[in-house]
């Protein structure tokens, strides 16, 4: 039998206490974070905020409106408001981009929401050529970005971040098919972490108010 | 004199002839009718308005056409779990003494195959068919992002 060393026992006890205290403090910290996030959630008009690690941008390669490749790395270092749709969208996409066009000057102006870019990702790569994306996005705001890719690439990106879409055939005309799609605007932080989702129906006031609160919380 | 009489008679006849067109689908009127300006290269847009029915019978609009578009469809956007779904409709039901609001995110006319380039403030003519005759109205082309009633 080994002899118990009192110093060792004391040290062990101290380590246990320290660990417990550390655990308690980190638990308290986590609880406080959760409470703060809940408080933030409740203050949002038409949006959700997400805890760290909820979803992250995966690696991807899209083709932007000038035909250049656009990848995950291009979105790092800035905040991104990403919206998924298609240029032949009759209702939700033009409305949403029109609303963003009104909201963005204010967001660029405020120091706490500066460094924000808008990215429109077309889920209709078959019809949305770079030329078409360029004409379309410039109509709303030449500072907005637009990109798309082949079906597989888009499918992988959207499914990772919880965006859904589905092609709907038009019985009256094959070329005029429609696409049902998520109407939320996704918020990515400069590390590619998904920090929130602005929910439809969108309005400039709601976007400015909710996005400002989310940025204030995570800044 | 005779000439004047016949002119008057013709005018009354013309009015009589017009009257049914105005009152058949008669009790219908369109308010704040607007067509969303088409972003360049887009092949599809939407029209929004408030349809009022002053009569005491429900009216269903069963088809809509416009010389400015190859095809007009009646649709309704429905949000299901955050996903915007486009649901084609057989008719636009305008209740007796009430109204049907065609607006962003809800009922609307979907306009395919533009026949001409449309600009802000252009007037677009529409004809709506009902079981009780047709009803004509016009809508003004308006910029995207300014479609709230």
């Amino acid at each position: 039998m080994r002899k118990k060393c009192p110093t060792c026992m004391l040290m062990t006890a101290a380590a246990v206490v320290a660990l417990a205290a550390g655990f308690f403090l980190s638990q308290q910290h986590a609880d406080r974070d959760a409470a703060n996030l809940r408080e933030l959630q409740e203050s949002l008009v038409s949006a959700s905020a997400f805890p760290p690690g909820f979803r992250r941008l995966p690696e991807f390669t899209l083709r932007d409106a000038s035909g250049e490749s656009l990848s995950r790395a291009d979105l790092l270092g800035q905040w991104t408001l990403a919206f998924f749709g298609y240029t032949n969208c009759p209702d939700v996409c033009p409305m949403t981009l029109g609303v963003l066009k009104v909201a963005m000057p204010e967001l660029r102006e405020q120091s706490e929401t500066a460094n924000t870019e808008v990215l429109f990702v077309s889920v209709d790569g078959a019809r949305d050529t770079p030329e078409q994306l360029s004409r379309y996005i410039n109509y709303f705001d030449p500072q907005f970005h637009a990109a798309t890719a082949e079906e597989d690439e888009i499918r992988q990106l959207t499914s990772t971040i919880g965006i859904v879409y589905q092609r709907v055939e038009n019985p009256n005309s094959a070329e005029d098919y429609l696409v049902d799609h998520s109407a939320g605007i996704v918020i990515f932080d400069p590390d590619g972490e998904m920090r929130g989702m602005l929910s439809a129906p969108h309005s400039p006031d709601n976007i400015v108010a909710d996005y400002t609160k989310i940025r204030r919380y995570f800044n | 004199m005779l000439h004047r009489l016949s002119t008057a008679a013709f005018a009354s006849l013309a009015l009589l002839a017009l009257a049914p067109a105005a009152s058949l689908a008669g009790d219908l009127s369109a308010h704040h009718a607007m067509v969303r300006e088409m972003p360049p290269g887009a092949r599809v847009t939407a029209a929004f308005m408030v349809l009022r029915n002053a009569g005491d019978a429900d009216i269903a609009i069963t088809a809509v056409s416009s010389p400015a578009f190859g095809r007009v469809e009646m649709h309704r956007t429905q949000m299901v779990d955050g996903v915007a779904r486009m649901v084609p409709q057989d008719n636009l039901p305008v209740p007796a003494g009430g109204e049907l609001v065609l607006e962003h995110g809800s009922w609307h006319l979907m306009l395919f195959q533009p026949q001409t380039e449309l600009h802000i403030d252009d007037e677009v003519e529409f004809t709506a068919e009902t079981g009780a005759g047709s009803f004509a109205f016009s809508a003004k082309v308006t910029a995207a992002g300014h479609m709230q009633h």
Side-chain angles (χ1 to χ4, degrees), chain A residues 87-92 94-96 98-99 101-102 127 132 135-136 139-140 164 166 168 170 172-173 175-176 178-184 200-203, chain B residues 36-46 48 71 73 75 77 79 82-86 103-106 108 110 112-113 120 142-148:
Chain A
T87 71
N88 278 301
C89 175
D91 187 19
V92 172
M95 188 65 198
T96 303
V99 165
K101 174 198 169 105
V102 176
R127 288 186 299 191
Q132 170 60 6
R135 280 195 298 263
Y136 186 78
Y139 166 79
F140 291 99
V164 297
Q166 184 178 12
V168 180
N170 187 327
N172 295 313
S173 163
E175 59 182 359
D176 287 330
L178 299 167
V179 187
D180 293 341
H181 60 89
S182 299
H202 301 293
S203 76
Chain B
R36 184 177 2 238
E37 184 190 31
M38 306 186 77
R43 300 147 38 89
V44 179
T45 190
F48 306 93
R71 202 172 68 256
E73 295 181 8
H75 280 253
T77 304
M79 294 294 298
V83 177
R85 295 194 187 287
M86 207 48 85
E103 61 183 341
H104 161 70
S106 178
H108 58 275
M110 204 185 294
F112 294 90
Q113 297 159 10
I120 302 274
T142 308
H146 298 277
M147 305 302 289
Q148 309 284 30

Side-chain angles (χ1 to χ4, degrees), chain B:
Chain B
M1 181 65 184
L2 192 66
H3 177 71
R4 197 170 292 170
L5 256 181
S6 67
T7 308
F10 179 76
S12 337
L13 271 176
L15 271 177
L16 275 174
L18 278 175
S23 71
L24 251 175
D27 298 315
L28 278 180
S29 56
H31 304 264
H32 313 295
M34 51 183 86
V35 167
R36 184 177 2 238
E37 184 190 31
M38 306 186 77
R43 300 147 38 89
V44 179
T45 190
F48 306 93
M49 69 212 64
V50 178
L51 293 169
R52 293 211 176 107
N53 177 359
D56 50 15
D58 295 345
I59 296 177
I61 293 174
T62 51
V64 181
S65 61
S66 168
F69 292 91
R71 202 172 68 256
V72 179
E73 295 181 8
M74 299 171 287
H75 280 253
R76 192 176 186 180
T77 304
Q78 290 180 323
M79 294 294 298
V80 183
D81 296 333
V83 177
R85 295 194 187 287
M86 207 48 85
V87 186
Q89 305 288 315
D90 293 336
N91 65 78
L92 299 174
V94 193
E99 61 185 33
L100 180 72
V101 180
L102 281 69
E103 61 183 341
H104 161 70
S106 178
W107 299 89
H108 58 275
L109 299 178
M110 204 185 294
L111 315 174
F112 294 90
Q113 297 159 10
Q115 304 294 297
T116 56
E117 199 174 316
L118 292 172
H119 302 100
I120 302 274
D121 289 342
D122 283 355
E123 293 282 341
V124 177
E125 303 300 323
F126 289 94
T127 304
E129 303 298 334
T130 77
S134 63
F135 158 67
F137 62 95
S138 67
K140 194 178 277 244
V141 177
T142 308
H146 298 277
M147 305 302 289
Q148 309 284 30
H149 290 293

